[in-house]
Structures are given as C-alpha cells and as structure tokens.
Amino acid sequence: MSAPDVRRVRSGPGEFTVAAVLWGVFGLYSLAHGFVDDRAPFVIVGATSFSVLIVGIVWPLVSVHGIGISARAPSDAFAGHDVPVEITVHGRAQGLQLRLVEPVGPRCWTDAPASGALLAPAVRRGVYRRVVVEVVACGPLHVFARRRLLFVPLDVALHVAPVPTPVVATSATVDRAAETSVVDHRPTSTDTVRGVRPYVAGDPARHVHWQSSARAGSLVVRDFEPPSAHGLAIVVDLRGGSGDDVEWALRRASGLARSVLSDGGSVVLVTFERMPVCAAVTTVRALDRRLAAARIGDPGGAPEGWPVETVRP
C-alpha cells in the first residue's frame, strides 16, 4: 500500500541529543590528544567519533522525508471521551517517535513500516477532517532528532458531539401543514384510514385496496389520517458566548432534542454551521452531527407553526 498524499510542514531544524554531545566531546578529546602527543590511535578514534556524529545527523534528515502516514478514526464520538485513531506508517525508518498534535494524543516509539491505534481524548467539540501527527526521526544512533508535522486527511470525518445534559423537554402540538413542510411523514399501519385515493408512483404495494381497485377498474390505495403531531423547534443561538458557555448551551440543546425524540416527537434544529440551517433531525446520530458542526453565528428563525425553545449560552 502506497503512502497517501499529506501536507508536510517543517517543525524546526531538529536538535542534538545527549548522545551527540558525548560523541562530540569524546571526538574532540581524542583528536586533541592525538595531535598534541602525535598518537595516531587517538586521531583515528576521534575521526571515527565525528564520522558517527555526521552519520547520526544525516540519517534522520534523509529518513524522515521518506515517511508517510495514513489515519482512520470513527465517524462519531463525544467530547471528553477517548477516540481510537488508527495510524499506519509507510516507508522504512528506525527510531521514530510519533505524537498526535490535533487531537492531542500520546507519544509512541516505533520503526517503519508499522500500524497501530493511539487513544486521543477528544477535548474539543467539532468536525475533524484531518489529524496532525508529529514525526520525530532519530535513526538507530539517536544523536540527532529531526521533526516534521504531517497533516493527514481522514477517510471519514470525525464528528465530536457535546455530551447531552439530561433535560425533560415539553413539546406541543404542531400544525399538520407546518410539520409536513419540514418533516417527511410516511404513514404506518397504526394510522387511521380515512378513505381511498388513486394510486400514484411511489405508493407501497401494501397500501393498495384491492376490493376498491376491482370496483373502480384502476389501482387505488388507502388514504391515511396521520396521528396528531407533536414536536419542538430548538434554536441554538451561540452568539455572545465563548468557551464553556457555548458548550453548556450545546449540551442542553442535545438533551432537549433527545427528550423529544424519545417521546416520539419531531425535532427541528435551527443552527448556524457554515450558514444558517433549519432542518428536521430524526435520529440521535443526525442530531449529534448537527451539534458537532454548530458554530457561533446568526442561526435564523424557527419555522412557522412550531413551538420554539431557544438555547443561548
């Protein structure tokens, strides 16, 4: 498998290790005594020490440029929870140190090629489409550490949602026309039949009323009376807040929406993401992803005919 295209950013020229200092001091001491006392063995030892030092510097400089990284993460997580990030190191190198910079994660030592999982705490809510990995190459001699930052795209974006605050929401009856303008209602077997109507493309076969179809000479289907709708429009207005206040508002919005959904109600979430978004959420997963993408901005207004709950920091 070839290494993916990643954006490499230089992170400083690198630094010498304690081993480099020892090799340098030892080489200078040997050369000084060798030339002063005219002792060839000391000169050879000193030259060898500096050769090791040069090789130890060049090796990491060359090896780190041949390293590539690919990363995979789950598509959904909660803020504050650990997220396993699968890291695969491509190329060949020894003595590599890897560290997740965004999201912040632990360090590990490895040789390339290699693969494994790093547990990174998802400290911040948001949508992550890449991870930032710091690669430090020391080579087998460990005399010089060369650092590189790799911006690695994720195959699937990671949505870090706020942890919901348990809240009991009070939903109200929603006007049928207002609900159908936002929520796609599909009749179920528990809906009341109010009559029949001509078949239109897309009607399921189980709704065909065969006796009426035989009398009419064409297909007719049952016309259902949907149950009375109840729901809540939640407007998430994060303007004027920052930091923990914003996260508190998002956790409360998550709790409100979950309460309505668990009660069988409909939820319309009004947020500002890259633009104002007013749309229904029918699953908890869709709710979490919307709140993960929420930003500070004007979310706009709720749809007409809906009871409204506005959440602010």
Side-chain angles (χ1 to χ4, degrees):
M1 181 178 178
S2 60
D5 292 332
V6 297
R7 181 185 173 193
R8 293 173 170 84
V9 177
R10 182 172 298 174
S11 178
E15 60 267 357
F16 290 100
T17 66
V18 175
V21 177
L22 294 177
W23 278 108
V25 171
F26 183 66
L28 287 174
Y29 176 84
S30 300
L31 288 177
H33 279 271
F35 286 119
V36 170
D37 299 334
D38 195 20
R39 296 181 181 180
F42 277 93
V43 175
I44 294 174
V45 171
T48 302
S49 298
F50 278 103
S51 298
V52 170
L53 192 60
I54 293 172
V55 172
I57 294 173
V58 174
W59 194 314
L61 291 174
V62 174
S63 63
V64 76
H65 284 276
I67 295 299
I69 289 180
S70 58
R72 296 184 63 184
S75 58
D76 299 278
F78 285 108
H81 292 200
D82 288 340
V83 179
V85 181
E86 295 284 343
I87 300 292
T88 302
V89 186
H90 307 270
R92 293 192 174 277
Q94 292 180 321
L96 294 178
Q97 185 187 79
L98 304 180
R99 181 173 71 93
L100 281 172
V101 178
E102 185 182 340
V104 178
R107 299 176 184 269
C108 70
W109 287 92
T110 185
D111 295 332
S115 62
L118 296 177
L119 285 179
V123 178
R124 293 187 293 109
R125 175 193 58 86
V127 181
Y128 295 84
R129 293 181 171 83
R130 70 181 186 187
V131 295
V132 182
V133 183
E134 182 186 55
V135 180
V136 181
C138 295
L141 300 177
H142 290 264
V143 298
F144 184 77
R146 180 73 170 101
R147 299 178 183 273
R148 300 284 280 183
L149 287 180
L150 302 183
F151 290 70
V152 185
L154 293 171
D155 294 340
V156 179
L158 167 61
H159 298 78
V160 179
V163 176
T165 298
V167 180
V168 177
T170 302
S171 59
T173 302
V174 182
D175 178 76
R176 175 57 56 188
E179 190 210 21
T180 54
S181 66
V182 181
V183 180
D184 182 19
H185 175 78
R186 291 179 173 82
T188 66
S189 58
T190 59
D191 290 338
T192 303
V193 178
R194 62 185 177 188
V196 294
R197 59 173 175 79
Y199 172 86
V200 295
D203 286 332
R206 66 177 182 277
H207 293 165
V208 175
H209 195 281
W210 296 107
Q211 293 180 350
S212 299
S213 298
R215 289 196 299 267
S218 61
L219 286 178
V220 295
V221 296
R222 297 177 181 88
D223 192 14
F224 292 92
E225 179 70 46
S228 58
H230 70 281
L232 184 65
I234 302 174
V235 179
V236 183
D237 189 351
L238 303 178
R239 291 174 296 177
S242 61
D244 293 340
D245 293 337
V246 168
E247 299 308 311
W248 175 88
L250 290 166
R251 291 195 296 268
R252 177 174 172 80
S254 179
L256 288 170
R258 277 173 159 79
S259 177
V260 176
L261 290 173
S262 64
D263 196 34
S266 300
V267 173
V268 170
L269 192 62
V270 184
T271 57
F272 180 85
E273 295 171 23
R274 294 185 177 181
M275 61 182 67
V277 179
C278 175
V281 289
T282 57
T283 64
V284 170
R285 185 178 187 182
L287 167 69
D288 288 341
R289 291 190 172 189
R290 287 282 308 278
L291 293 177
R295 302 181 181 181
I296 297 176
D298 185 2
E304 295 184 2
W306 283 77
V308 179
E309 177 83 23
T310 301
V311 179
R312 294 187 176 91

